[in-house]
Amino acid sequence: MADDLRYSKDHEWVRVESDGTAIVGVTDFAAEQLGDVVYVDLPEVGASITAGTEMGEIESTKSVSDLFSPLDGTVVEVNQAVVDSPELVNSSPFDEGWLIKVSFEQLPEDLLDQEGYAALTNA
């Protein structure tokens, strides 16, 4: 986990980029809980997403889980590499395994810092 990330209670992370967009991904804790990820369904570029609502789906050898948006915004980029190679969520959840890039106005106040997320997951 990194200091520049914020985390949702649904186990997504957010990193604000220098251009004002936010990159969203799934935490290593969630990836570990899921097991081997075999399929990722993400919103399309241009889609509006709302914090706390479903924005896609992630399927592993163990289960199918909904992906929840950690913030309000508009999808400006989808990580095609993850769509083509879902195992990147397991092997590199904070780098190559990111999911979407979002244009947003402000981060929700309920996002957790590293310490808060570690307490949530008892890490």
Side-chain angles (χ1 to χ4, degrees), residues 19-24 47 49 55 69-77 98 100-104:
D19 65 2
T21 60
I23 293 181
V24 176
I49 56 173
M55 66 170 192
S69 177
L71 73 171
D72 297 341
T74 302
V75 177
V76 295
E77 187 178 340
W98 62 274
I100 58 173
K101 189 179 281 194
V102 180
S103 168
F104 72 103

Side-chain angles (χ1 to χ4, degrees), residues 62-73:
K62 291 186 194 176
S63 66
V64 176
S65 299
D66 291 331
L67 292 168
F68 293 95
S69 177
L71 73 171
D72 297 341

Side-chain angles (χ1 to χ4, degrees), residues 20 81 84 123:
D84 295 339

Side-chain angles (χ1 to χ4, degrees), residues 101-121:
K101 189 179 281 194
V102 180
S103 168
F104 72 103
E105 294 295 320
Q106 68 182 50
L107 291 177
E109 292 182 16
D110 64 347
L111 291 179
L112 304 168
D113 60 13
Q114 183 175 347
E115 188 175 296
Y117 187 72
L120 175 75
T121 60

